[in-house]
Short mmCIF file of all heavy atoms in Angstrom, two decimals:
data_model
loop_
_atom_site.label_atom_id
_atom_site.label_comp_id
_atom_site.label_asym_id
_atom_site.label_seq_id
_atom_site.Cartn_x
_atom_site.Cartn_y
_atom_site.Cartn_z
N MET A 1 -35.87 14.59 24.23
CA MET A 1 -35.81 15.83 23.56
C MET A 1 -36.59 15.64 22.29
O MET A 1 -36.30 14.78 21.49
CB MET A 1 -34.37 16.24 23.38
CG MET A 1 -34.21 17.55 22.78
SD MET A 1 -32.46 18.06 22.66
CE MET A 1 -32.50 19.61 23.53
N SER A 2 -37.49 16.57 22.04
CA SER A 2 -38.38 16.44 20.79
C SER A 2 -38.04 17.65 19.91
O SER A 2 -37.91 18.76 20.42
CB SER A 2 -39.77 16.43 21.28
OG SER A 2 -40.67 16.46 20.13
N PHE A 3 -38.03 17.45 18.66
CA PHE A 3 -37.78 18.44 17.63
C PHE A 3 -38.96 18.63 16.76
O PHE A 3 -39.59 17.61 16.39
CB PHE A 3 -36.53 18.17 16.84
CG PHE A 3 -35.27 18.11 17.67
CD1 PHE A 3 -34.79 16.81 17.93
CD2 PHE A 3 -34.62 19.16 18.08
CE1 PHE A 3 -33.59 16.67 18.68
CE2 PHE A 3 -33.48 19.03 18.84
CZ PHE A 3 -33.00 17.77 19.18
N ALA A 4 -39.28 19.85 16.46
CA ALA A 4 -40.46 20.18 15.57
C ALA A 4 -40.23 19.89 14.13
O ALA A 4 -41.14 19.56 13.45
CB ALA A 4 -40.89 21.63 15.83
N SER A 5 -39.00 20.02 13.68
CA SER A 5 -38.69 19.75 12.24
C SER A 5 -37.24 19.20 12.17
O SER A 5 -36.56 19.16 13.07
CB SER A 5 -38.80 21.08 11.47
OG SER A 5 -37.80 21.93 11.92
N LEU A 6 -36.98 18.81 10.87
CA LEU A 6 -35.60 18.37 10.60
C LEU A 6 -34.59 19.41 10.84
O LEU A 6 -33.47 19.12 11.31
CB LEU A 6 -35.54 17.81 9.19
CG LEU A 6 -34.28 17.19 8.76
CD1 LEU A 6 -33.84 16.00 9.63
CD2 LEU A 6 -34.27 16.86 7.30
N SER A 7 -34.89 20.70 10.44
CA SER A 7 -33.90 21.71 10.68
C SER A 7 -33.66 21.96 12.10
O SER A 7 -32.52 22.34 12.44
CB SER A 7 -34.36 23.01 9.93
OG SER A 7 -35.55 23.50 10.44
N ASP A 8 -34.70 21.85 12.98
CA ASP A 8 -34.44 21.95 14.45
C ASP A 8 -33.59 20.82 14.90
O ASP A 8 -32.77 21.08 15.79
CB ASP A 8 -35.88 21.95 15.14
CG ASP A 8 -36.60 23.20 15.02
OD1 ASP A 8 -36.00 24.23 14.62
OD2 ASP A 8 -37.88 23.16 15.28
N PHE A 9 -33.76 19.66 14.40
CA PHE A 9 -32.99 18.50 14.77
C PHE A 9 -31.52 18.76 14.34
O PHE A 9 -30.56 18.54 15.23
CB PHE A 9 -33.49 17.23 14.14
CG PHE A 9 -32.57 16.03 14.35
CD1 PHE A 9 -32.50 15.45 15.54
CD2 PHE A 9 -31.82 15.47 13.27
CE1 PHE A 9 -31.57 14.32 15.79
CE2 PHE A 9 -31.02 14.42 13.46
CZ PHE A 9 -30.95 13.85 14.79
N LEU A 10 -31.25 19.22 13.16
CA LEU A 10 -29.94 19.49 12.67
C LEU A 10 -29.27 20.67 13.42
O LEU A 10 -28.02 20.59 13.68
CB LEU A 10 -29.87 19.71 11.26
CG LEU A 10 -30.26 18.53 10.32
CD1 LEU A 10 -30.37 18.97 8.86
CD2 LEU A 10 -29.39 17.40 10.47
N ALA A 11 -30.10 21.64 13.89
CA ALA A 11 -29.51 22.75 14.61
C ALA A 11 -29.24 22.42 16.07
O ALA A 11 -28.35 23.02 16.69
CB ALA A 11 -30.58 23.88 14.67
N MET A 12 -29.84 21.32 16.57
CA MET A 12 -29.59 20.82 17.94
C MET A 12 -29.65 21.94 19.01
O MET A 12 -28.79 22.00 19.89
CB MET A 12 -28.25 20.08 18.04
CG MET A 12 -28.22 18.77 17.32
SD MET A 12 -28.94 17.55 18.31
CE MET A 12 -28.89 16.18 17.18
N GLY A 13 -30.60 22.81 18.90
CA GLY A 13 -30.81 23.86 19.91
C GLY A 13 -29.61 24.85 19.88
O GLY A 13 -29.22 25.35 20.92
N GLY A 14 -28.99 25.08 18.74
CA GLY A 14 -27.93 26.08 18.55
C GLY A 14 -26.54 25.36 18.79
O GLY A 14 -25.45 26.02 18.60
N HIS A 15 -26.52 24.08 19.01
CA HIS A 15 -25.28 23.33 19.23
C HIS A 15 -25.00 22.37 18.10
O HIS A 15 -24.04 21.52 18.16
CB HIS A 15 -25.25 22.52 20.56
CG HIS A 15 -25.49 23.39 21.74
ND1 HIS A 15 -24.51 24.20 22.29
CD2 HIS A 15 -26.52 23.53 22.56
CE1 HIS A 15 -25.02 24.86 23.41
NE2 HIS A 15 -26.25 24.44 23.52
N GLY A 16 -25.76 22.54 17.04
CA GLY A 16 -25.60 21.57 15.88
C GLY A 16 -24.25 21.49 15.30
O GLY A 16 -23.79 20.47 14.93
N LEU A 17 -23.62 22.68 15.10
CA LEU A 17 -22.28 22.72 14.48
C LEU A 17 -21.29 21.87 15.28
O LEU A 17 -20.55 21.07 14.68
CB LEU A 17 -21.78 24.16 14.35
CG LEU A 17 -20.46 24.32 13.66
CD1 LEU A 17 -20.50 23.86 12.20
CD2 LEU A 17 -19.96 25.84 13.74
N TYR A 18 -21.27 22.11 16.58
CA TYR A 18 -20.40 21.33 17.47
C TYR A 18 -20.74 19.88 17.43
O TYR A 18 -19.81 18.98 17.30
CB TYR A 18 -20.39 21.88 18.85
CG TYR A 18 -19.74 20.96 19.89
CD1 TYR A 18 -18.33 20.98 19.97
CD2 TYR A 18 -20.48 20.12 20.77
CE1 TYR A 18 -17.71 20.21 20.89
CE2 TYR A 18 -19.83 19.37 21.65
CZ TYR A 18 -18.46 19.40 21.76
OH TYR A 18 -17.82 18.57 22.62
N VAL A 19 -21.98 19.47 17.54
CA VAL A 19 -22.38 18.09 17.63
C VAL A 19 -21.99 17.39 16.29
O VAL A 19 -21.41 16.31 16.31
CB VAL A 19 -23.93 18.04 17.83
CG1 VAL A 19 -24.46 16.66 17.72
CG2 VAL A 19 -24.25 18.55 19.22
N TRP A 20 -22.41 17.99 15.17
CA TRP A 20 -22.19 17.31 13.89
C TRP A 20 -20.68 17.24 13.51
O TRP A 20 -20.10 16.28 12.92
CB TRP A 20 -23.03 17.87 12.79
CG TRP A 20 -24.48 17.66 13.09
CD1 TRP A 20 -25.44 18.67 13.38
CD2 TRP A 20 -25.14 16.44 13.26
NE1 TRP A 20 -26.63 18.05 13.68
CE2 TRP A 20 -26.49 16.68 13.62
CE3 TRP A 20 -24.77 15.10 13.16
CZ2 TRP A 20 -27.39 15.71 13.89
CZ3 TRP A 20 -25.69 14.10 13.44
CH2 TRP A 20 -26.98 14.43 13.67
N LEU A 21 -19.87 18.30 13.91
CA LEU A 21 -18.47 18.24 13.66
C LEU A 21 -17.82 17.22 14.52
O LEU A 21 -16.84 16.50 14.13
CB LEU A 21 -17.83 19.66 13.95
CG LEU A 21 -18.03 20.72 12.89
CD1 LEU A 21 -17.35 21.94 13.24
CD2 LEU A 21 -17.46 20.22 11.50
N SER A 22 -18.33 16.97 15.73
CA SER A 22 -17.81 15.90 16.55
C SER A 22 -18.06 14.64 16.01
O SER A 22 -17.17 13.71 16.08
CB SER A 22 -18.38 16.10 17.99
OG SER A 22 -18.07 17.32 18.61
N TYR A 23 -19.29 14.37 15.57
CA TYR A 23 -19.64 13.12 14.96
C TYR A 23 -18.72 12.91 13.67
O TYR A 23 -18.20 11.73 13.47
CB TYR A 23 -21.06 13.05 14.57
CG TYR A 23 -22.10 12.53 15.61
CD1 TYR A 23 -22.91 13.44 16.17
CD2 TYR A 23 -21.93 11.29 16.04
CE1 TYR A 23 -23.77 12.99 17.25
CE2 TYR A 23 -22.76 10.77 17.11
CZ TYR A 23 -23.70 11.67 17.62
OH TYR A 23 -24.56 11.24 18.68
N GLY A 24 -18.54 13.94 12.94
CA GLY A 24 -17.74 13.80 11.67
C GLY A 24 -16.30 13.47 12.06
O GLY A 24 -15.65 12.63 11.41
N ALA A 25 -15.73 14.17 13.02
CA ALA A 25 -14.36 13.89 13.36
C ALA A 25 -14.16 12.49 13.91
O ALA A 25 -13.20 11.85 13.59
CB ALA A 25 -13.93 14.93 14.43
N THR A 26 -15.08 12.11 14.74
CA THR A 26 -15.06 10.67 15.28
C THR A 26 -15.09 9.67 14.10
O THR A 26 -14.35 8.65 14.15
CB THR A 26 -16.22 10.47 16.28
OG1 THR A 26 -16.08 11.39 17.29
CG2 THR A 26 -16.15 9.04 16.81
N GLY A 27 -16.02 9.90 13.16
CA GLY A 27 -16.13 9.00 12.06
C GLY A 27 -14.76 8.99 11.25
O GLY A 27 -14.38 7.89 10.79
N LEU A 28 -14.24 10.09 11.07
CA LEU A 28 -12.92 10.16 10.30
C LEU A 28 -11.84 9.40 11.05
O LEU A 28 -11.04 8.64 10.40
CB LEU A 28 -12.47 11.59 10.04
CG LEU A 28 -13.24 12.31 8.99
CD1 LEU A 28 -12.73 13.79 8.90
CD2 LEU A 28 -13.09 11.64 7.65
N VAL A 29 -11.74 9.52 12.33
CA VAL A 29 -10.80 8.83 13.18
C VAL A 29 -10.98 7.29 13.03
O VAL A 29 -10.00 6.55 12.85
CB VAL A 29 -10.71 9.37 14.58
CG1 VAL A 29 -9.86 8.38 15.53
CG2 VAL A 29 -10.18 10.81 14.61
N VAL A 30 -12.21 6.91 13.20
CA VAL A 30 -12.50 5.43 13.11
C VAL A 30 -12.19 4.93 11.71
O VAL A 30 -11.51 3.86 11.58
CB VAL A 30 -13.97 5.20 13.44
CG1 VAL A 30 -14.40 3.78 13.09
CG2 VAL A 30 -14.23 5.52 14.92
N LEU A 31 -12.53 5.65 10.74
CA LEU A 31 -12.18 5.27 9.27
C LEU A 31 -10.70 5.18 9.14
O LEU A 31 -10.16 4.19 8.46
CB LEU A 31 -12.86 6.17 8.31
CG LEU A 31 -12.67 5.94 6.85
CD1 LEU A 31 -13.32 4.56 6.45
CD2 LEU A 31 -13.26 6.98 6.00
N ALA A 32 -9.95 6.18 9.56
CA ALA A 32 -8.53 6.19 9.49
C ALA A 32 -7.92 4.94 10.22
O ALA A 32 -6.96 4.34 9.62
CB ALA A 32 -7.97 7.47 10.03
N ASN A 33 -8.46 4.63 11.33
CA ASN A 33 -7.94 3.44 12.07
C ASN A 33 -8.16 2.18 11.27
O ASN A 33 -7.32 1.26 11.32
CB ASN A 33 -8.55 3.36 13.48
CG ASN A 33 -7.93 4.27 14.44
OD1 ASN A 33 -6.76 4.63 14.29
ND2 ASN A 33 -8.72 4.71 15.45
N VAL A 34 -9.36 2.04 10.74
CA VAL A 34 -9.68 0.84 10.00
C VAL A 34 -8.82 0.77 8.75
O VAL A 34 -8.18 -0.32 8.46
CB VAL A 34 -11.18 0.83 9.55
CG1 VAL A 34 -11.45 -0.21 8.58
CG2 VAL A 34 -12.05 0.71 10.75
N MET A 35 -8.61 1.84 8.05
CA MET A 35 -7.66 1.85 6.86
C MET A 35 -6.24 1.51 7.26
O MET A 35 -5.60 0.72 6.58
CB MET A 35 -7.81 3.09 6.16
CG MET A 35 -9.19 3.43 5.55
SD MET A 35 -9.77 2.17 4.44
CE MET A 35 -8.59 2.21 3.16
N ALA A 36 -5.76 2.06 8.33
CA ALA A 36 -4.46 1.84 8.74
C ALA A 36 -4.28 0.35 9.15
O ALA A 36 -3.24 -0.31 8.81
CB ALA A 36 -4.07 2.69 9.96
N LEU A 37 -5.29 -0.24 9.75
CA LEU A 37 -5.19 -1.64 10.13
C LEU A 37 -5.18 -2.52 8.92
O LEU A 37 -4.39 -3.55 8.77
CB LEU A 37 -6.36 -2.01 11.00
CG LEU A 37 -6.49 -3.52 11.45
CD1 LEU A 37 -5.25 -3.84 12.26
CD2 LEU A 37 -7.84 -3.72 12.30
N ARG A 38 -5.99 -2.17 7.89
CA ARG A 38 -6.08 -2.98 6.65
C ARG A 38 -4.79 -2.91 5.94
O ARG A 38 -4.26 -3.90 5.40
CB ARG A 38 -7.18 -2.50 5.77
CG ARG A 38 -8.55 -2.85 6.27
CD ARG A 38 -9.63 -2.33 5.33
NE ARG A 38 -9.51 -3.12 4.12
CZ ARG A 38 -10.51 -3.75 3.59
NH1 ARG A 38 -11.72 -3.70 4.20
NH2 ARG A 38 -10.40 -4.40 2.47
N ILE A 39 -4.11 -1.70 5.85
CA ILE A 39 -2.82 -1.60 5.21
C ILE A 39 -1.76 -2.36 5.95
O ILE A 39 -0.95 -3.04 5.30
CB ILE A 39 -2.48 0.00 5.10
CG1 ILE A 39 -3.43 0.70 4.13
CG2 ILE A 39 -1.09 0.16 4.71
CD1 ILE A 39 -3.35 2.15 4.10
N SER A 40 -1.79 -2.20 7.30
CA SER A 40 -0.78 -2.92 8.08
C SER A 40 -0.88 -4.46 7.93
O SER A 40 0.11 -5.17 7.86
CB SER A 40 -0.95 -2.50 9.50
OG SER A 40 -0.03 -3.19 10.32
N ARG A 41 -2.09 -4.92 7.92
CA ARG A 41 -2.34 -6.36 7.78
C ARG A 41 -1.89 -6.78 6.38
O ARG A 41 -1.27 -7.94 6.27
CB ARG A 41 -3.85 -6.69 7.95
CG ARG A 41 -4.12 -8.17 7.75
CD ARG A 41 -5.69 -8.34 7.93
NE ARG A 41 -6.02 -9.69 7.79
CZ ARG A 41 -6.35 -10.33 6.69
NH1 ARG A 41 -6.46 -9.66 5.56
NH2 ARG A 41 -6.70 -11.63 6.65
N GLY A 42 -2.17 -6.07 5.36
CA GLY A 42 -1.74 -6.36 4.03
C GLY A 42 -0.21 -6.45 3.98
O GLY A 42 0.37 -7.39 3.33
N ARG A 43 0.47 -5.50 4.54
CA ARG A 43 1.88 -5.43 4.54
C ARG A 43 2.45 -6.65 5.27
O ARG A 43 3.47 -7.36 4.77
CB ARG A 43 2.40 -4.19 5.18
CG ARG A 43 3.91 -3.98 5.09
CD ARG A 43 4.36 -2.68 5.74
NE ARG A 43 3.69 -1.45 5.11
CZ ARG A 43 3.05 -0.64 5.85
NH1 ARG A 43 3.07 -0.63 7.09
NH2 ARG A 43 2.53 0.37 5.22
N PHE A 44 1.85 -6.98 6.40
CA PHE A 44 2.28 -8.12 7.22
C PHE A 44 2.19 -9.47 6.34
O PHE A 44 3.12 -10.30 6.34
CB PHE A 44 1.55 -8.24 8.52
CG PHE A 44 1.78 -9.54 9.20
CD1 PHE A 44 2.92 -9.75 9.92
CD2 PHE A 44 0.85 -10.61 9.18
CE1 PHE A 44 3.12 -10.87 10.62
CE2 PHE A 44 1.08 -11.78 9.87
CZ PHE A 44 2.22 -11.92 10.54
N LEU A 45 1.00 -9.58 5.72
CA LEU A 45 0.74 -10.83 4.97
C LEU A 45 1.77 -10.94 3.78
O LEU A 45 2.34 -11.97 3.51
CB LEU A 45 -0.67 -10.88 4.47
CG LEU A 45 -1.67 -11.12 5.54
CD1 LEU A 45 -3.08 -10.96 4.87
CD2 LEU A 45 -1.51 -12.44 6.17
N ARG A 46 2.04 -9.81 3.12
CA ARG A 46 3.05 -9.81 2.04
C ARG A 46 4.43 -10.18 2.55
O ARG A 46 5.10 -11.03 1.88
CB ARG A 46 3.06 -8.49 1.29
CG ARG A 46 2.04 -8.23 0.29
CD ARG A 46 2.35 -6.99 -0.57
NE ARG A 46 2.62 -5.87 0.17
CZ ARG A 46 1.73 -5.04 0.68
NH1 ARG A 46 0.48 -5.23 0.52
NH2 ARG A 46 2.10 -3.94 1.33
N GLU A 47 4.86 -9.64 3.60
CA GLU A 47 6.19 -9.88 4.19
C GLU A 47 6.27 -11.28 4.62
O GLU A 47 7.33 -11.96 4.51
CB GLU A 47 6.50 -8.91 5.25
CG GLU A 47 6.76 -7.48 4.78
CD GLU A 47 6.92 -6.49 5.95
OE1 GLU A 47 6.85 -6.93 7.12
OE2 GLU A 47 7.13 -5.34 5.63
N SER A 48 5.20 -11.88 5.33
CA SER A 48 5.29 -13.22 5.77
C SER A 48 5.35 -14.22 4.67
O SER A 48 6.06 -15.25 4.72
CB SER A 48 4.10 -13.53 6.72
OG SER A 48 2.97 -13.46 6.09
N ARG A 49 4.60 -13.92 3.55
CA ARG A 49 4.61 -14.85 2.41
C ARG A 49 6.04 -14.81 1.77
O ARG A 49 6.59 -15.80 1.37
CB ARG A 49 3.64 -14.46 1.33
CG ARG A 49 2.21 -14.94 1.72
CD ARG A 49 1.25 -14.74 0.60
NE ARG A 49 1.00 -13.43 0.23
CZ ARG A 49 -0.04 -12.66 0.61
NH1 ARG A 49 -1.05 -13.30 1.23
NH2 ARG A 49 -0.20 -11.43 0.28
N ALA A 50 6.64 -13.62 1.69
CA ALA A 50 7.99 -13.51 1.06
C ALA A 50 8.97 -14.23 2.01
O ALA A 50 9.87 -14.86 1.46
CB ALA A 50 8.34 -12.00 1.04
N LEU A 51 8.81 -14.16 3.26
CA LEU A 51 9.66 -14.83 4.17
C LEU A 51 9.57 -16.33 4.09
O LEU A 51 10.58 -17.05 4.02
CB LEU A 51 9.40 -14.40 5.73
CG LEU A 51 10.35 -15.00 6.77
CD1 LEU A 51 11.73 -14.52 6.46
CD2 LEU A 51 9.84 -14.48 8.15
N GLU A 52 8.34 -16.81 3.88
CA GLU A 52 8.12 -18.26 3.77
C GLU A 52 8.79 -18.71 2.44
O GLU A 52 9.39 -19.84 2.38
CB GLU A 52 6.65 -18.49 3.74
CG GLU A 52 5.98 -18.47 5.12
CD GLU A 52 4.47 -18.74 5.09
OE1 GLU A 52 3.99 -19.23 3.98
OE2 GLU A 52 3.87 -18.64 6.05
N ARG A 53 8.65 -17.92 1.40
CA ARG A 53 9.22 -18.33 0.07
C ARG A 53 10.75 -18.35 0.17
O ARG A 53 11.39 -19.27 -0.36
CB ARG A 53 8.84 -17.32 -1.00
CG ARG A 53 7.43 -17.56 -1.56
CD ARG A 53 7.22 -16.76 -2.81
NE ARG A 53 7.45 -15.38 -2.62
CZ ARG A 53 6.46 -14.45 -2.31
NH1 ARG A 53 5.20 -14.90 -2.20
NH2 ARG A 53 6.73 -13.18 -2.22
N ARG A 54 11.35 -17.32 0.84
CA ARG A 54 12.87 -17.32 1.08
C ARG A 54 13.25 -18.50 1.88
O ARG A 54 14.23 -19.10 1.53
CB ARG A 54 13.29 -16.05 1.69
CG ARG A 54 13.33 -14.93 0.74
CD ARG A 54 13.90 -13.67 1.31
NE ARG A 54 12.69 -12.95 1.77
CZ ARG A 54 12.67 -12.04 2.65
NH1 ARG A 54 13.68 -11.73 3.39
NH2 ARG A 54 11.52 -11.43 2.99
N ALA A 55 12.51 -18.84 2.85
CA ALA A 55 12.91 -19.97 3.76
C ALA A 55 12.74 -21.24 2.95
O ALA A 55 13.60 -22.17 3.06
CB ALA A 55 11.95 -20.03 5.00
N ALA A 56 11.70 -21.40 2.23
CA ALA A 56 11.59 -22.60 1.42
C ALA A 56 12.66 -22.78 0.37
O ALA A 56 13.18 -23.78 0.06
CB ALA A 56 10.17 -22.66 0.72
N ALA A 57 13.04 -21.62 -0.29
CA ALA A 57 14.12 -21.61 -1.22
C ALA A 57 15.43 -21.95 -0.67
O ALA A 57 16.25 -22.69 -1.08
CB ALA A 57 14.21 -20.31 -1.97
N GLY A 58 15.68 -21.46 0.55
CA GLY A 58 16.90 -21.80 1.35
C GLY A 58 17.02 -23.24 1.68
O GLY A 58 18.08 -23.82 1.64
N VAL A 59 15.94 -23.87 2.09
CA VAL A 59 15.93 -25.28 2.44
C VAL A 59 16.21 -26.06 1.26
O VAL A 59 16.95 -27.01 1.26
CB VAL A 59 14.57 -25.58 3.07
CG1 VAL A 59 14.37 -27.15 3.22
CG2 VAL A 59 14.35 -25.03 4.47
N GLU A 60 15.59 -25.71 0.13
CA GLU A 60 15.77 -26.51 -1.13
C GLU A 60 17.16 -26.36 -1.59
O GLU A 60 17.75 -27.40 -2.11
CB GLU A 60 14.73 -26.17 -2.15
CG GLU A 60 13.33 -26.52 -1.71
CD GLU A 60 12.36 -26.50 -2.81
OE1 GLU A 60 12.79 -26.51 -4.01
OE2 GLU A 60 11.16 -26.60 -2.56
N SER A 61 17.74 -25.18 -1.54
CA SER A 61 19.09 -25.02 -2.03
C SER A 61 20.13 -25.78 -1.17
O SER A 61 21.11 -26.28 -1.64
CB SER A 61 19.47 -23.54 -2.15
OG SER A 61 19.51 -22.91 -0.92
N ALA A 62 19.82 -25.77 0.16
CA ALA A 62 20.66 -26.55 1.08
C ALA A 62 20.61 -28.00 0.80
O ALA A 62 21.67 -28.71 0.79
CB ALA A 62 20.28 -26.24 2.50
N ARG A 63 19.44 -28.49 0.46
CA ARG A 63 19.25 -29.88 0.17
C ARG A 63 20.08 -30.20 -1.15
O ARG A 63 20.72 -31.28 -1.23
CB ARG A 63 17.81 -30.34 -0.06
CG ARG A 63 17.04 -30.36 1.24
CD ARG A 63 15.66 -30.72 0.94
NE ARG A 63 14.85 -30.77 2.19
CZ ARG A 63 13.58 -30.72 2.26
NH1 ARG A 63 12.85 -30.61 1.18
NH2 ARG A 63 12.99 -30.76 3.38
N ALA A 64 19.94 -29.33 -2.12
CA ALA A 64 20.69 -29.52 -3.41
C ALA A 64 22.09 -29.53 -3.21
O ALA A 64 22.89 -30.36 -3.71
CB ALA A 64 20.27 -28.52 -4.42
N GLU A 65 22.67 -28.58 -2.35
CA GLU A 65 24.17 -28.57 -2.10
C GLU A 65 24.56 -29.84 -1.42
O GLU A 65 25.60 -30.41 -1.69
CB GLU A 65 24.44 -27.33 -1.31
CG GLU A 65 24.38 -26.01 -2.04
CD GLU A 65 24.66 -24.84 -1.17
OE1 GLU A 65 25.03 -25.02 0.01
OE2 GLU A 65 24.46 -23.72 -1.62
N LYS A 66 23.74 -30.29 -0.47
CA LYS A 66 24.15 -31.52 0.33
C LYS A 66 24.15 -32.72 -0.63
O LYS A 66 25.04 -33.56 -0.54
CB LYS A 66 23.16 -31.79 1.45
CG LYS A 66 23.59 -32.83 2.42
CD LYS A 66 22.61 -32.93 3.59
CE LYS A 66 23.05 -33.95 4.55
NZ LYS A 66 22.15 -34.11 5.67
N ALA A 67 23.19 -32.78 -1.46
CA ALA A 67 23.12 -33.95 -2.43
C ALA A 67 24.25 -33.89 -3.43
O ALA A 67 24.75 -34.98 -3.84
CB ALA A 67 21.81 -33.96 -3.19
N ALA A 68 24.72 -32.77 -3.84
CA ALA A 68 25.80 -32.65 -4.72
C ALA A 68 27.20 -32.69 -4.15
O ALA A 68 28.15 -32.86 -4.85
CB ALA A 68 25.71 -31.16 -5.56
N GLY A 69 27.21 -32.64 -2.85
CA GLY A 69 28.50 -32.74 -2.17
C GLY A 69 29.35 -31.48 -2.38
O GLY A 69 30.22 -31.52 -3.19
N SER A 70 28.98 -30.40 -1.73
CA SER A 70 29.58 -29.09 -2.01
C SER A 70 31.03 -28.99 -1.59
O SER A 70 31.63 -27.92 -1.79
CB SER A 70 28.71 -28.07 -1.34
OG SER A 70 28.69 -28.19 0.07
N GLY A 71 31.65 -30.00 -1.00
CA GLY A 71 33.07 -29.86 -0.52
C GLY A 71 33.11 -29.28 0.80
O GLY A 71 34.18 -28.95 1.23
N ASP A 72 32.04 -29.07 1.54
CA ASP A 72 32.06 -28.47 2.90
C ASP A 72 32.67 -29.55 3.84
O ASP A 72 32.31 -30.65 3.76
CB ASP A 72 30.66 -28.18 3.23
CG ASP A 72 30.53 -27.50 4.58
OD1 ASP A 72 31.57 -26.88 4.96
OD2 ASP A 72 29.49 -27.40 5.17
N PRO A 73 33.70 -29.12 4.67
CA PRO A 73 34.29 -30.03 5.55
C PRO A 73 33.27 -30.81 6.45
O PRO A 73 33.58 -31.90 6.85
CB PRO A 73 35.28 -29.24 6.33
CG PRO A 73 35.46 -27.98 5.59
CD PRO A 73 34.26 -27.81 4.77
N GLY A 74 32.17 -30.15 6.73
CA GLY A 74 31.22 -30.78 7.66
C GLY A 74 30.35 -31.86 6.97
O GLY A 74 29.74 -32.64 7.71
N THR A 75 30.44 -31.99 5.68
CA THR A 75 29.62 -32.98 5.06
C THR A 75 30.38 -34.31 4.84
O THR A 75 29.85 -35.28 4.40
CB THR A 75 29.17 -32.57 3.66
OG1 THR A 75 30.25 -32.22 2.82
CG2 THR A 75 28.25 -31.28 3.76
N GLY A 76 31.65 -34.33 5.07
CA GLY A 76 32.43 -35.59 4.90
C GLY A 76 32.95 -35.80 3.54
O GLY A 76 33.50 -36.88 3.16
N SER A 77 32.86 -34.92 2.55
CA SER A 77 33.38 -35.14 1.26
C SER A 77 34.55 -34.29 1.01
O SER A 77 34.65 -33.43 0.06
CB SER A 77 32.22 -34.77 0.25
OG SER A 77 31.89 -33.47 0.44
N SER A 78 35.59 -34.41 1.84
CA SER A 78 36.81 -33.63 1.80
C SER A 78 37.80 -34.33 0.78
O SER A 78 38.89 -33.73 0.54
CB SER A 78 37.42 -33.47 3.17
OG SER A 78 37.77 -34.73 3.67
N GLY A 79 37.58 -35.47 0.29
CA GLY A 79 38.51 -36.09 -0.65
C GLY A 79 39.47 -37.09 -0.01
O GLY A 79 40.35 -37.61 -0.77
N PHE A 80 39.45 -37.37 1.25
CA PHE A 80 40.39 -38.32 1.88
C PHE A 80 39.84 -39.65 1.88
O PHE A 80 38.93 -40.09 2.12
CB PHE A 80 40.70 -37.88 3.33
CG PHE A 80 41.57 -36.63 3.28
CD1 PHE A 80 41.05 -35.36 3.77
CD2 PHE A 80 42.91 -36.69 2.92
CE1 PHE A 80 41.79 -34.27 3.80
CE2 PHE A 80 43.69 -35.45 3.00
CZ PHE A 80 43.10 -34.29 3.41
#
């Protein structure tokens, strides 16, 4: 298909409004999907880092309690 001018190309033989709105809507959907993915990935990374910090803090506090002899019957420091 050959167009005589830029305005003929943009008009697309009378279908330009439909064609360009379709391209625009598709572009918006693709952009929204990319942004949603980036937001979701950022949230996942923040939550996983927080979970790792909590797990590391839990392991260290458990080691400190075990070293101090917290009086837990399972540790063998019941006083007998």
